[in-house]
Amino acid sequence: MGQISHIVWDWNGTLFADNRALIDATLEAFSDAGFTTVSRELYQQCHSKAVNVFFERLAGRTLQAEECQRLLESFRSRYEEYSIRTELTPDAHMALTRCRETGLRQSLLSLFNHQKLVLLTEEKGIAGFFDRIDGARESAPDRKAPHLARHLRTLGVEPERSLLIGDSVDDALAAEECGALCVLYYAGDFALHTRDSVEKAARVVTSLNEAVDFAITAE
């Protein structure tokens, strides 16, 4: 076994291929609210975990609280509609299986609603791969770092022997702050960030199996 003994998986956009649902739901929320048309390219350039900041970047101006709330409600409605048809990333099950067979422990950490996360992992048949599943039990925090630190402490995992596999710049920042390693999965045209921004943040892979390769061989 190399340096890494534990993998922390991200959910949205990583194991769960809902990138397009997230992007389309956001673009349509802005359209529903009568804003100037927002493009996928602008979404990727502006993406941020802080929802209000993200919406203001897309709008190009400061938004009133009621405007943000209206956008958020429309986004949630659209996302629920699209995510019902969303499946796991194509090589997710294979990557999870390889980790288990190699002896790597695994857990799941997300800012997605905890109860919905647990139900989805059970529905998709992958809940049994994880030592622990942690979603957001209240409102989702703006940053993943405190969530990751608590997750690793609860598991008793040394950060320096853990690898966070995610897809966002916030994942990379969280890992760095907590002392963990990170690789970012880039989903191509419907990635949540531009390729340039994720490459500046962490090592980039284009499949989950490539991320597992890194975990197995890291020294």
Side-chain angles (χ1 to χ4, degrees), residues 39-219:
S39 67
R40 172 168 51 85
E41 291 75 16
L42 183 62
Y43 180 107
Q44 293 168 330
Q45 291 166 14
C46 296
H47 185 262
S48 168
K49 284 294 183 184
V51 174
N52 289 359
V53 173
F54 180 38
F55 284 170
E56 289 185 345
R57 287 177 179 174
L58 290 177
R61 64 173 176 83
T62 301
L63 298 175
Q64 299 298 317
E66 58 270 20
E67 290 181 301
C68 282
Q69 187 60 34
R70 188 166 70 250
L71 285 168
L72 187 58
E73 289 173 358
S74 179
F75 163 78
R76 286 171 174 166
S77 176
R78 294 285 189 173
Y79 177 78
E80 287 292 332
E81 175 186 346
Y82 292 137
S83 64
I84 290 172
R85 303 188 294 272
T86 300
E87 298 296 336
L88 296 177
T89 298
D91 62 344
H93 198 277
M94 182 183 298
L96 292 166
T97 301
R98 286 183 63 210
C99 287
R100 182 168 63 188
E101 291 176 346
T102 308
L104 289 166
R105 307 302 296 265
Q106 303 176 86
S107 59
L108 179 59
L109 180 70
S110 176
L111 302 185
F112 192 62
N113 177 272
H114 180 73
Q115 290 182 328
K116 291 181 179 179
L117 180 64
V118 172
L119 288 173
L120 275 170
T121 57
E122 291 173 350
E123 177 186 310
K124 302 300 182 184
I126 61 171
F129 284 103
F130 307 115
D131 290 352
R132 183 177 180 86
I133 297 174
D134 276 328
R137 287 173 169 79
E138 298 176 1
S139 58
D142 287 340
R143 297 189 311 121
K144 198 166 194 171
H147 202 33
L148 175 61
R150 183 168 57 250
H151 182 76
L152 293 174
R153 282 198 307 271
T154 302
L155 285 165
V157 173
E158 298 175 1
E160 61 272 18
R161 289 183 58 80
S162 66
L163 173 70
L164 173 60
I165 301 177
D167 72 315
S168 75
V169 172
D170 187 56
D171 290 324
L173 293 173
E176 181 179 12
E177 186 171 326
C178 294
L181 295 173
C182 180
V183 295
L184 296 179
Y185 167 60
Y186 181 73
D189 289 345
F190 285 92
L192 301 185
H193 295 274
T194 63
R195 175 89 187 221
D196 182 61
S197 62
V198 292
E199 286 181 339
K200 288 178 180 177
R203 183 187 185 96
V204 173
V205 296
T206 54
S207 73
L208 300 186
N209 269 307
E210 187 181 348
V212 174
D213 288 339
F214 173 78
I216 293 171
T217 60
E219 297 294 339

Side-chain angles (χ1 to χ4, degrees), residues 22-32 38-40 43 58:
L22 289 165
I23 293 174
D24 286 351
T26 303
L27 270 53
E28 292 188 20
F30 270 75
S31 177
D32 292 343
V38 175
S39 67
R40 172 168 51 85
Y43 180 107
L58 290 177

Side-chain angles (χ1 to χ4, degrees), residues 10-19 22 89 166-167 185 187 192 208:
D10 173 57
W11 179 247
N12 300 100
T14 305
L15 288 174
F16 191 52
D18 63 344
N19 310 64
L22 289 165
T89 298
D167 72 315
Y185 167 60
L192 301 185
L208 300 186

